[in-house]
């Protein structure tokens, strides 16, 4: 998947989820599904959405390898193209999720540090170790905080060959331009699109910004 604009579809209603996915489809490269949607609608929503765009299952897996493999298998067997695993769970968990992903030719993204303020309390102290764990496990990409561009820059420096996707723009205060300038390959956007009065127009506007800045800085 050429990562650029990923829609974080954190709505809790199936009809609304499908509507927003379909109207924004032309402007996004993928859909990230998180617990609010899957716990409300069931895991089958991944199958439905994957008919519109590739789906990244944002289950932020952070369990022992055995349980983590079961979760990853459920996501991929229901049509996910990618999965998100927490790096702090350790190298055995990240590698096990990668092993399952490989069975489905799926992608794995590892969270480095959360974009929220709490991400600075523990995770940011270990984020660069997490980058090394992710590299050793051979994952496809990293999730890095658009709210702290200086962290994206350093994560990029340490992981030249991994994709970097950044949540935290607009609703959380991060800037699309700063994130891309700092090394992001793609931006993850939720509320700014799905809570907008015109999700299609907003997705189009943000997608244009992403393209402009990717051209300017890459
Ligand atoms: P929003 O654009 O509405 O803030 O949504 C961001 C999305 O990215 C949410 O699904 C959130 O769970 C996720 N996310 C994040 O905001 N920060 C992170 O560090 C990691 C995430 O997965």
């Amino acid at each position: 998947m050429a990562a650029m604009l990923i829609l974080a579809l954190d709505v809790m209603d199936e009809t609304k989820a499908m509507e927003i996915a379909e109207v924004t489809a032309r402007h996004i490269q993928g859909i990230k599904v998180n617990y609010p949607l899957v716990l409300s609608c069931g895991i089958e929503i991944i199958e439905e959405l994957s008919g519109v765009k590739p789906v990244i299952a944002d289950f932020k897996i952070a369990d022992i390898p055995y349980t983590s493999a079961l979760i990853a298998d459920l996501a991929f067997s229901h049509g996910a193209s990618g999965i998100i695993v927490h790096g702090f769970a350790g190298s055995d968990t990240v590698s096990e999720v990668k092993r399952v992903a490989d069975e489905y030719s799926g992608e794995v993204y590892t969270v480095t540090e959360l974009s929220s303020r709490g991400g600075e309390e523990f995770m940011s102290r270990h984020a660069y170790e997490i980058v090394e764990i992710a590299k050793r496990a051979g994952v496809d990409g990293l999730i890095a905080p658009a709210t702290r561009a200086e962290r994206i820059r350093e994560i990029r420096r340490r992981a030249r060959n991994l994709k970097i996707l950044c949540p935290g723009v607009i609703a959380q205060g991060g800037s699309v331009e700063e994130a891309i300038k700092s090394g992001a390959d793609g931006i993850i956007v939720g509320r700014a699109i799905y809570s907008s009065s015109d999700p299609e127009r907003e997705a189009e506007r943000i997608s244009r910004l992403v393209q402009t800045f990717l051209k300017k800085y890459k």
Side-chain angles (χ1 to χ4, degrees), residues 8 10 32 34 58 60 113-115 167 172 188-191:
D10 297 327
K32 185 179 79 63
N34 200 337
D58 181 7
K60 292 196 180 67
E113 61 186 66
L114 288 175
S115 57
Q172 295 180 48
I188 295 172
V189 183
R191 284 164 286 178

